[in-house]
Amino acid sequence: MVGLLFLGGVYKEVIAFNGITLTDFRFQNNPPIINRKNKLYVVFNNTNSSNDYELYVKVAYSQTPEGSPYQFGSLLKMMNVRNMQDGIYFNDTLKISGNVYFLVTLYEDQAENNKLLTFSKNIFIDKDNDGDGIGDSVDSDDDNDGLPDTEEKNLGTDPFNPDSDKDGKKDGQDPHPLDSRAEGNISTPFLTVNPEAKPTGETQGESVENQILGESVPKGEKNVKKPFSFIKILLITSMVLLGLGAGAVWLLFRKKEPPYYKKSE
């Protein structure tokens, strides 16, 4: 026997077999999250005062009713007591997300040969992009980077990537989350300026312009006399020494005059 129950004008589907109804089917966490352990409660009620049942319950789920099913947990035995609610729970990890189709099946035996009834329900399975245990549908910061998803939408950053420009800084700590070249650079990103350099009397723009045009000597240093190089000093020293040597030789020969003739007595 299959029955429909109306509570306070709200439609609630129940399925009955000889007085057994499935009255509750819910996850402990709402919404449940993919790739995490989730506890599923399944509650039955036996309204038949003359019968007790020992039944077996199996839960399966798939992306669509026609899709390949996954079994959630193991086959469980349920002892249904007369006029009392009897609940059991399954604990397993969900493998798919989105709107998922669940199917609960009751069997008379452990071999699943005698099917008694089935119950189906669609439940939303959430994702958890940042692994913080909060589903993306209710998480205000899906990548846990310090920037709320609403602000990331306005900035144009990726709400599912904590480092949108891949510069090693989380978007919430990055003054330029969309430009990895902007940190630490001046207006021209391909030129860097030594912050410890002494001023030369020219503006920063002029200095950058000189670098671009190939000028290597600052304007304030163009008229500074350059020291003599080693080669120039060596040449000058050699010339002086040669001059001194030539003069010494001349004086030596001058003192020793040859006797061209001998005076007569």
Side-chain angles (χ1 to χ4, degrees):
M1 179 179 67
V2 178
L4 302 178
L5 179 65
F6 290 86
L7 297 176
V10 179
Y11 166 79
K12 182 176 181 179
E13 181 183 8
V14 296
I15 298 181
F17 174 81
N18 278 351
I20 300 176
T21 59
L22 178 58
T23 59
D24 196 7
F25 182 84
R26 58 183 172 82
F27 282 91
Q28 182 181 21
N29 298 320
N30 186 30
I33 301 174
I34 188 175
N35 296 327
R36 294 182 68 90
K37 282 284 186 179
N38 294 271
K39 185 177 289 187
L40 172 63
Y41 292 98
V42 180
V43 180
F44 297 89
N45 187 32
N46 182 10
T47 60
N48 190 336
S49 60
S50 62
N51 293 312
D52 283 340
Y53 289 98
E54 180 180 297
L55 302 175
Y56 292 86
V57 185
K58 184 176 78 171
V59 177
Y61 64 99
S62 58
Q63 203 72 65
T64 62
E66 298 80 17
S68 299
Y70 298 93
Q71 184 169 329
F72 189 85
S74 57
L75 184 72
L76 295 181
K77 182 170 66 174
M78 178 193 68
M79 293 297 297
N80 198 289
V81 183
R82 286 174 291 178
N83 298 317
M84 295 288 291
Q85 287 192 344
D86 187 15
I88 58 176
Y89 68 86
F90 299 81
N91 197 13
D92 202 355
T93 301
L94 291 162
K95 298 178 174 62
I96 55 178
S97 61
N99 291 317
V100 176
Y101 176 82
F102 283 84
L103 185 68
V104 180
T105 307
L106 285 179
Y107 298 92
E108 282 186 336
D109 52 53
Q110 191 173 3
E112 304 179 25
N113 292 324
N114 300 308
K115 182 189 298 185
L116 300 177
L117 59 89
T118 58
F119 172 82
S120 63
K121 188 174 183 179
N122 287 327
I123 295 180
F124 174 71
I125 308 300
D126 209 349
K127 294 181 179 180
D128 182 14
N129 180 72
D130 54 10
D132 60 357
I134 304 174
D136 291 346
S137 65
V138 294
D139 193 347
S140 60
D141 186 2
D142 286 334
D143 54 7
N144 201 24
D145 62 355
L147 276 181
D149 295 340
T150 53
E151 189 171 347
E152 295 216 45
K153 183 177 180 181
N154 295 331
L155 292 174
T157 53
D158 187 350
F160 296 103
N161 185 353
D163 184 9
S164 295
D165 59 2
K166 300 179 181 179
D167 64 351
K169 294 182 180 179
K170 288 187 175 183
D171 292 344
Q173 303 170 353
D174 193 341
H176 306 281
L178 290 175
D179 188 359
S180 61
R181 299 180 303 175
E183 283 85 352
N185 293 338
I186 60 175
S187 57
T188 304
F190 301 102
L191 296 176
T192 57
V193 176
N194 184 2
E196 299 180 357
K198 296 181 180 180
T200 59
E202 60 186 359
T203 63
Q204 180 178 348
E206 291 175 340
S207 177
V208 173
E209 182 181 357
N210 289 340
Q211 294 179 41
I212 296 175
L213 296 177
E215 295 184 18
S216 59
V217 181
K219 292 181 179 180
E221 299 180 4
K222 284 185 177 180
N223 297 325
V224 176
K225 293 182 179 180
K226 297 182 179 179
F228 286 107
S229 66
F230 175 77
I231 297 177
K232 289 183 179 180
I233 295 174
L234 182 62
L235 290 175
I236 294 174
T237 304
S238 300
M239 293 176 64
V240 171
L241 291 176
L242 288 174
L244 292 175
V249 172
W250 181 77
L251 290 175
L252 181 62
F253 278 97
R254 183 182 177 86
K255 290 181 180 181
K256 297 180 179 182
E257 294 183 354
Y260 294 103
Y261 60 93
K262 188 174 182 181
K263 294 183 179 180
S264 58
E265 294 181 355

